[in-house]
Amino acid sequence: MDYTNIFVVLFIVGSAFGFLLDTTLDFIDFRFRKKHGTEIPPMLQGHVDESVLKKTCRYEDAKYKFSIPRSIFGLALGYYLVFSGFYPALFGVVLGWTENSFFCAYFFLILGSVPALLLTVPFDLHSEFGIEKQFGFSKMTLGLWVADRIKGLILNLLLLAPLIFAATMLFKHAGDLWWLFLGVVYLIFSLAVSVIYPIFIAPLFNKFQPLEDGELKTRLEKMLDSCGFKASGLFVMDASRRSGHSNAYFTGFGKSKRVVLYDTLIEQLSVEEIEAVLAHELGHSKKHHIIKRLVVMIPLVFVVLYAVSIFIKMPSLYSGFGFAVGDVVPYQMMVVGLFLLSVAFGDFDCLVSPVSNFFSRKDEFEADAFSKKLCGSGDALVTALIKLNKENLSEIQVPKIYSVFYYNHPPLLERISALKAEK
């Protein structure tokens, strides 16, 4: 281990920076909540009471206090795995099993994720069966929780395999242009997953039933038709089987597009409010937010992969973390290089959050405005947002710096103010 190596330094600094930033922001929010958490803003007078706000504070405090040991153990594990030489030792073991570049890379990535996975299990269990059940959200049984984890693990293993296979083949046969072809493969793969997800993947975890005939279905279909939005159907998801949290979303691509409503959402909101929520989701489509995001993300994928193609050929990337390489990095090691770059740079993604959140919140305001225009008023969306905020025990007020880093949706009061504005 070379502690002066630039990639190792980036890992050490990035991990500490990410931990300190998260810890500081969470503490700022905690202190703000202690001071203002039970205050009822003027625009919410009559909509919320002090008992709800006190319960919200207890819920957020429980999550905050639980996040502290989770973050500390996560940081300690990350440092231990790197400083102990775990990853070079693991690669040596896998290389002893097989010299096939695909299987070597595949097994290395899978086994390399096992320590973090084992660490998260007790924390996830406490979060689900301690905090979430304590506050009335979790409807999980232990059997269902285990089944979900097993299905998710198998699904991840299946989805990871073709990407790793493509990468190893391109490293071997595509020369210095592997990054260009891998970018194309990744985009095609992502598109394919978005098409098959609502049809084959989502039903592995939840049941989806067509929305029953009635006023709600009639009004939602009329609204979709008025906007020219073509979907394969309106579906209700059995979210209440697992949680009391609620939501609605569009999923799929092309002919596989469908509208999904949580059954909890239908129970908590009126027909007018559900219509306003769906109009908001429809606004994302009509304002082309997904397409605009793709216009940015697609070139970014290739820029990142090109930068990776430069770093991945540097022997210092591998030697700094204890891997034995010569002056030329063999293609069999390049997937390891991808992993090491994620280790070195992974915790700096928090610096990107304020930028991505800014544009995401901008899109949310536009979708709210679209809903207001389509429904003729923003009143139904306002009451829907307040109800959802109360049902989910979400904080009403947070420090500005906290929302900048963590909120990809505008805080509740900002959304209500915008919806009640004349223009």
Side-chain angles (χ1 to χ4, degrees):
M1 175 67 62
D2 180 3
Y3 295 100
T4 63
N5 179 279
I6 182 60
F7 295 105
V8 176
V9 171
L10 285 171
F11 160 70
I12 296 172
V13 173
S15 298
F17 174 75
F19 172 79
L20 291 174
L21 179 64
D22 287 342
T23 303
T24 301
L25 291 174
D26 285 342
F27 179 73
I28 290 173
D29 183 49
F30 172 71
R31 294 296 299 170
F32 184 89
R33 185 166 57 249
K34 286 296 182 184
K35 187 175 181 180
H36 303 287
T38 57
E39 295 177 358
I40 302 177
M43 68 176 64
L44 294 184
Q45 292 288 343
H47 293 285
V48 297
D49 54 47
E50 190 174 354
S51 63
V52 172
L53 297 182
K54 286 182 177 179
K55 186 177 181 180
T56 299
C57 288
R58 294 197 303 271
Y59 178 55
E60 293 295 334
D61 287 349
K63 292 193 296 180
Y64 164 66
K65 293 172 183 177
F66 179 62
S67 72
I68 296 174
R70 185 169 194 158
S71 298
I72 292 173
F73 277 104
L75 178 69
L77 178 64
Y79 279 149
Y80 172 78
L81 292 176
V82 170
F83 297 152
S84 67
F86 171 79
Y87 296 119
L90 175 62
F91 187 73
V93 170
V94 172
L95 200 59
W97 297 344
T98 177
E99 293 185 0
N100 180 280
S101 58
F102 164 68
F103 286 111
C104 189
Y106 190 59
F107 290 140
F108 172 77
L109 293 178
I110 292 173
L111 295 176
S113 65
V114 168
L117 179 63
L118 293 177
L119 177 66
T120 62
V121 169
F123 287 106
D124 288 346
L125 281 170
H126 177 71
S127 176
E128 186 69 45
F129 296 100
I131 298 175
E132 294 297 307
K133 276 198 178 293
Q134 176 187 348
F135 288 92
F137 289 122
S138 177
K139 307 297 188 298
M140 277 280 193
T141 63
L142 182 60
L144 182 59
W145 188 89
V146 172
D148 279 352
R149 292 305 180 277
I150 292 175
K151 286 187 285 188
L153 179 61
I154 294 173
L155 183 62
N156 285 332
L157 293 177
L158 292 175
L159 293 177
L160 180 65
L163 286 176
I164 298 302
F165 179 78
T168 53
M169 291 299 100
L170 290 171
F171 289 153
K172 182 177 181 179
H173 299 290
D176 290 338
L177 291 178
W178 66 263
W179 60 273
L180 181 62
F181 295 107
L182 186 58
V184 173
V185 169
Y186 173 76
L187 294 174
I188 293 175
F189 180 79
S190 299
L191 177 62
V193 170
S194 69
V195 171
I196 67 173
Y197 175 82
I199 302 173
F200 299 106
I201 298 178
L204 295 174
F205 299 91
N206 292 96
K207 293 182 179 179
F208 295 83
Q209 299 292 338
L211 181 62
E212 295 180 355
D213 293 337
E215 181 187 3
L216 178 59
K217 182 178 181 180
T218 300
R219 291 181 63 160
L220 295 185
E221 287 181 338
K222 182 179 179 181
M223 182 178 66
L224 293 174
D225 289 340
S226 69
C227 295
F229 185 86
K230 303 297 181 183
S232 60
L234 294 165
F235 293 86
V236 179
M237 190 182 87
D238 63 338
S240 59
R241 185 185 176 200
R242 290 171 171 80
S243 173
H245 294 294
S246 53
N247 199 3
Y249 63 91
F250 292 153
T251 185
F253 185 83
K255 293 183 179 180
S256 69
K257 284 191 300 187
R258 57 174 58 183
V259 178
V260 177
L261 306 174
Y262 284 23
D263 56 357
T264 49
L265 185 82
I266 296 176
E267 293 172 2
Q268 294 168 2
L269 303 184
S270 68
V271 172
E272 291 77 12
E273 290 165 343
I274 296 173
E275 187 178 35
V277 170
L278 189 61
H280 167 92
E281 297 300 327
L282 187 59
H284 287 303
S285 175
K286 301 304 291 185
K287 293 294 182 179
H288 309 295
H289 291 157
I290 296 175
I291 294 176
K292 291 176 181 177
R293 193 163 298 180
L294 288 175
V295 169
V296 175
M297 292 304 299
I298 290 176
L300 188 60
V301 167
F302 290 99
V303 170
V304 170
L305 284 175
Y306 177 71
V308 167
S309 72
I310 296 174
F311 290 130
I312 210 173
K313 293 186 293 185
M314 296 181 178
S316 59
L317 171 64
Y318 306 85
S319 61
F321 288 96
F323 288 83
V325 293
D327 295 332
V328 178
V329 177
Y331 76 88
Q332 295 91 338
M333 291 283 294
M334 286 186 174
V335 169
V336 175
L338 291 175
F339 173 77
L340 293 178
L341 285 174
S342 71
V343 170
F345 291 98
D347 286 298
F348 288 102
D349 60 355
C350 58
L351 298 177
V352 182
S353 296
V355 178
S356 61
N357 287 342
F358 171 81
F359 287 104
S360 177
R361 288 193 296 268
K362 180 176 178 293
D363 289 347
E364 295 300 325
F365 279 127
E366 288 186 356
D368 282 352
F370 181 88
S371 174
K372 178 180 178 178
K373 181 178 180 180
L374 187 62
C375 297
S377 167
D379 294 344
L381 184 57
V382 167
T383 57
L385 292 173
I386 294 173
K387 285 184 180 179
L388 292 175
N389 200 87
K390 289 166 56 179
E391 294 291 341
N392 291 312
L393 294 182
S394 300
E395 290 182 280
I396 291 177
Q397 303 181 82
V398 295
K400 184 65 176 179
I401 183 114
Y402 187 84
S403 66
V404 165
F405 276 90
Y406 289 143
Y407 277 37
N408 56 14
H409 282 55
L412 177 64
L413 298 184
E414 292 183 20
R415 295 182 73 175
I416 293 176
S417 296
L419 284 166
K420 289 188 174 183
E422 289 298 322
K423 293 184 180 181

